[in-house]
């Protein structure tokens, strides 16, 4: 289904292979030898297609689906259309993700340095890397196996990049050490000077930023996002953290493992996000604070204080999400009542005025 | 007036030609053969200059203006200074735009591939294109007539770009099909992976993003803005839509025709903006919602719900703009009254205290 | 201490030299001939290290510090640990900044054009400049002494850049005149078309943007920030202004001297910020307004109106910062009281109901 100009599909896979890949359980009676050629939304039509159901909202679409197979939570088994093959999973979307990855694997390809890439003689690039046209790898940089550096990206002096990484088109990385399976998306900036200077009435004086950026395994940094290097300590991004587009991370921040930072959110300098913290779109966290494990800061919300683990905050200044909605409802109701009173008063005045004019 | 190092002016044009170019009506008695050499603000001074009046606020500047000609709404005809030539238009700013474009045309120039551009042998680039130094055009890409690819931009594998487009310096485009007259500004990112993964307590699992970005005719995408490709369906930007700098558009979004997305606004995944929707600066729209035709979301405002056509919203959570201002006024008034009471109470207490001390 | 792969340290310096460099006063009895090899946080340990104390909060760390020397405000002299050398300064952080700059000077190096840089024959590049691999300098551009253009940056046609500037990796500059000591960070965009068009129900018409960007001495523009050129007048950034990452500045803006614009803040077109204005993270200023000298707009706050000099605003719509906190406290208290009443009422109703059921 995916446009073959842009996506290379492999396969087919048997249902048995897909069950294993997705960590899913074939429903009793499933035909493990059936062959599947592609993933598909529920609306697709074809005996060789496999989809998933992860959201109760789409049960009707599931019931009407003409897919050959579907990955579902066991609870929905009874709703399956006649003849559909079923794979059962506690986390059907995760199983789907793994299966889709199998059909559309990251292109590894052969190691290759484009003749118009600019790799310094003092850089160490593993023979299995792909370095595209226009990419620059500066002296002393070390790049691990199967890593791809896309066109016009820049890997700075002495930067270390692990295995199976991707440095996107026009991205730049300096003063940084990257683990394995790190993906820096097009245009992201890693390792530039932090925003550090001594303010003074005669002008601000730059403070040299002497730290680095440490990015652990499996991190993704979205398009045009920016991660400043530390001022003295390092800026650290924990393993598995997902950073969306246009996100800002200030110097000296410690971002925990498996955090999720949605688009246009920002974290000011020297702040700690513990593991599994989530910042929604356009959220912000001030400098020098700690957000506890698993806490969530809602859309457009912000905090200037420490946040305890596990809470979900909304608003700026923020409050617990449920409280925020209760508060908002109260405020609107109070407002509407006051408006009603005002209108009643005005109507009363008008009546009196009319009476008076009689 | 414009710095000739950066802008190439053509002309002169006669008033008659300018009337035709701008779709404006010469006022009775206008001298259609008079020659004009440049556009100018009302404050300019010169018989060969033409300006415009679009805002009642600037009527005094118009009355004092020493320009040779002016494009105005017919309503202001009586206020024109003696001897000024007048072009009448219902939309004077639009007429001005067309006339300014005539004086300062987009540079088409001759087709030209800089010897230090990197155009893959498998790409099809029309002979009238300009491909600047350092630009990369990957294999299978197709680029239409008169399109310009600026320095260090990257056009990815199999991307299609129509005629009269511009891909700005250091921009990158992948997994995308672009119509005609599309302008991708410097540093914009089109077609990267959407932010899609299955969250899980043991780490998040990437979901392959198998869609594309479809950009229709006449769209502009501002500097460092980011448009993710779809997860399965495509991300679509409708004809004539204007996107400012640092804007985020998530995967699977359908942005209608002639929308306006001002700087630092964002649209989360799978959301639909119908035609002529406007997002003001730093506004946001959540995922999976629909904003109706012509609706406007104000500065720093956001919505997590569907928005009916034509309304103007302010705040987060948002309300109709007029209501927002009424509400804000009420809230401030209620606050101030409570403060007044509090002060009166404190003064009363103070008096009582003083009385008591007598 | 700083990773020598990324930072080149010079020195050592004697205490006397450091006092002079930092504009600080040696405390009576200080040994001016003592040698120092590096800067350090207070937690460092070594007779050859110098640190600073700028924040009362860190007095205990200062008292326990094992550094050989420290820059402090005279008021803290009595708290110094035995044997520590002291430099006294009214602005210890500024003194520290100057001393750290001395240990870690910007790398000037010899003038050098990388053979894979692309410098047009019609450009004038001073012999002391460094132009890195992949950088593009277009025809007519003029670049002053000791300026560095990093990999894959683009300096557009006829752009002028002064002395001791830095154009970061993958940044692009067009239609602009830059003073001395200007630093454009990686991925920043200077001089692109402003967001100007005549809106119309049949589609929006581009208005040619005929101005430039003028950047005065000592300005810094952070990663992936965007500064549009003027529509007719110029966009101007005053001397010494510090712009963080992902900041947007619209066309025709006049930003004063020594302003500070923190990450993800934005200024809409034709707005003036007077000198020493500060915008906190994610703040916004609407178009066509003036923010007075030294005013501060807080995090996530915004103004659509003129702001008088010196005030500090918070909120959107904004109010004076102290008032904002007072207002917020009042609002929360009012809400909580209403909730208490409601609960009391419900308890009362419940009691009545219980009584009724007896």
């Amino acid at each position: 289904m995916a446009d073959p100009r842009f996506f290379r599909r492999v396969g087919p896979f048997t249902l048995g292979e897909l069950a294993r890949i997705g960590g899913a359980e074939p429903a009793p009676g499933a035909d493990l030898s059936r062959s599947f050629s592609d993933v598909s939304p529920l609306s697709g039509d074809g005996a060789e297609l496999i989809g998933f159901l992860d959201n109760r909202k789409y049960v009707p679409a599931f019931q009407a689906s003409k897919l050959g197979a579907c990955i579902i939570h066991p609870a929905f088994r009874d709703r399956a259309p006649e003849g559909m093959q079923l794979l059962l999973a506690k986390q059907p979307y995760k199983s789907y993700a793994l299966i889709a990855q199998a059909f559309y694997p990251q292109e590894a390809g052969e190691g290759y340095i484009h003749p118009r890439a600019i790799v310094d003689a003092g850089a160490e690039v593993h023979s299995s890397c792909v370095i595209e046209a226009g990419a620059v790898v500066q002296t002393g940089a070390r790049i691990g196996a199967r890593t791809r550096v896309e066109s016009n990206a820049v890997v700075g002096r002495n930067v270390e990049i692990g295995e199976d990484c991707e440095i996107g088109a026009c991205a730049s990385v300096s003063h940084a050490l990257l683990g394995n399976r790190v993906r820096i998306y097009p245009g992201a900036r890693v390792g530039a000077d932090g925003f550090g200077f001594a303010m003074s009435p005669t002008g601000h004086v730059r403070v040299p930023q002497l730290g680095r950026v440490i990015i652990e395994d499996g991190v993704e940094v979205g398009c045009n996002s920016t991660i400043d290097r530390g001022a003295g300590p390092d800026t650290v991004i924990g393993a598995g953290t997902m950073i969306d587009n246009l996100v800002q991370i200030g110097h000296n921040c410690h971002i925990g493992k498996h955090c999720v930072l949605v688009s246009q959110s920002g974290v000011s300098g020297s702040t700690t996000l513990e593991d599994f913290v989530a910042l929604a779109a356009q959220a912000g966290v001030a400098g020098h604070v700690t957000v506890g494990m698993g806490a969530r800061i809602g859309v457009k919300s912000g905090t200037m204080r420490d946040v305890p683990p596990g809470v979900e905050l909304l608003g700026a200044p923020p409050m617990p999400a449920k409280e925020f909605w209760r508060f908002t409802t109260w405020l609107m109701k109070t407002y509407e009542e006051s408006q009603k009173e005002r209108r009643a008063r005005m109507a009363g005045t008008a009546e009196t005025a009319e009476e008076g004019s009689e």
Side-chain angles (χ1 to χ4, degrees), chain A:
Chain A
M1 232 69 75
D3 188 332
R5 288 174 294 183
F6 300 121
F7 303 96
R8 197 179 52 96
R9 197 176 61 196
V10 300
F13 299 98
T14 65
L15 189 64
E17 287 169 324
L18 293 177
R20 193 181 41 75
I21 289 166
E25 190 72 28
D31 176 358
L32 298 185
S33 66
R34 275 269 296 269
S35 171
F36 289 85
S37 62
D38 204 353
V39 289
S40 168
L42 289 170
S43 58
D45 182 355
E48 291 221 329
L49 302 178
I50 180 164
F52 74 101
L53 171 69
D54 197 46
N55 186 330
R56 182 172 297 276
K57 200 168 122 183
Y58 295 109
V59 166
F62 171 61
Q63 292 176 306
S65 177
K66 294 173 177 165
L67 296 180
C70 208
I71 313 153
I72 61 168
H73 191 278
F76 294 111
R77 238 172 97 180
D78 300 344
R79 323 287 274 273
E82 193 77 29
M84 182 188 268
Q85 305 290 317
L86 298 178
L87 296 183
L88 308 179
K90 288 279 165 60
Q91 297 174 281
Y93 190 45
K94 183 177 169 186
S95 292
Y96 169 80
L98 295 166
I99 286 170
Q101 284 179 6
F103 278 113
Y104 296 91
Q106 297 279 44
E107 303 178 43
E110 312 257 311
Y112 174 74
I113 297 183
H114 192 284
R116 300 289 284 276
I118 311 170
V119 177
D120 193 276
E124 281 179 45
V125 174
H126 192 276
S127 62
S128 58
C129 291
V130 172
I131 314 291
E132 295 188 353
V136 173
V137 180
Q138 297 184 342
T139 188
R142 294 168 57 184
I143 304 186
R146 293 172 305 280
T147 284
R148 164 185 296 267
V149 180
E150 295 186 350
S151 283
N152 288 346
V154 178
V155 176
R157 197 164 50 86
N158 293 333
V159 163
E160 297 197 6
I161 299 179
E163 303 183 344
D164 299 300
C165 295
E166 241 182 82
I167 310 297
C170 305
S172 57
V173 181
S174 72
H175 306 85
L177 310 178
L178 277 57
N180 300 319
R181 299 182 316 284
V182 170
R183 295 181 70 199
I184 306 295
Y185 281 56
R189 310 291 157 208
V190 173
D193 258 7
F195 201 55
F197 45 86
M199 293 179 75
S200 129
T202 56
H204 314 308
V205 182
R206 245 293 154 201
V207 176
Q209 303 288 300
L210 303 171
R212 305 164 300 181
V213 176
I214 311 295
I215 298 188
E216 299 180 359
D217 292 349
V219 166
E220 303 202 358
V221 179
C223 290
N224 286 349
S225 288
T226 58
I227 303 179
D228 287 345
R229 72 172 182 264
D234 294 318
T235 302
V236 179
I237 314 293
T241 281
M242 296 288 188
I243 299 173
D244 200 354
N245 299 341
L246 294 169
V247 171
Q248 151 76 357
I249 296 180
H251 55 179
N252 311 336
C253 283
H254 271 61
I255 308 297
K257 297 185 199 308
H258 308 302
C259 292
V260 174
L261 282 71
V262 180
S263 182
Q264 297 177 322
S265 60
V267 184
S268 291
S270 303
T271 276
T272 296
L273 306 189
E274 295 181 354
D275 298 347
F276 285 101
V277 165
L279 303 188
Q282 300 182 338
V285 180
H288 299 271
V289 306
T290 295
V291 179
M293 165 140 20
R296 305 163 62 92
I297 314 289
V299 284
K300 284 189 171 295
S301 304
T303 179
M304 304 177 74
R305 306 206 183 147
D306 289 354
V307 174
V311 304
E312 187 185 350
L313 297 184
L314 266 177
M319 51 184 105
K322 277 182 188 169
E323 197 64 24
F324 176 85
W325 291 117
R326 205 175 294 137
F327 163 76
T328 303
T329 304
W330 163 79
L331 186 57
M332 284 303 101
K333 212 174 130 191
T334 309
Y335 165 60
E336 275 153 23
E337 275 162 15
S338 85
Q339 296 302 95
K340 228 181 279 173
E341 272 172 36
R342 194 179 61 94
R343 277 192 299 269
R345 248 188 350 260
M346 285 174 68
T349 316
E351 260 171 44
T352 314
E354 275 174 35
E355 278 166 20
S357 72
E358 278 178 354

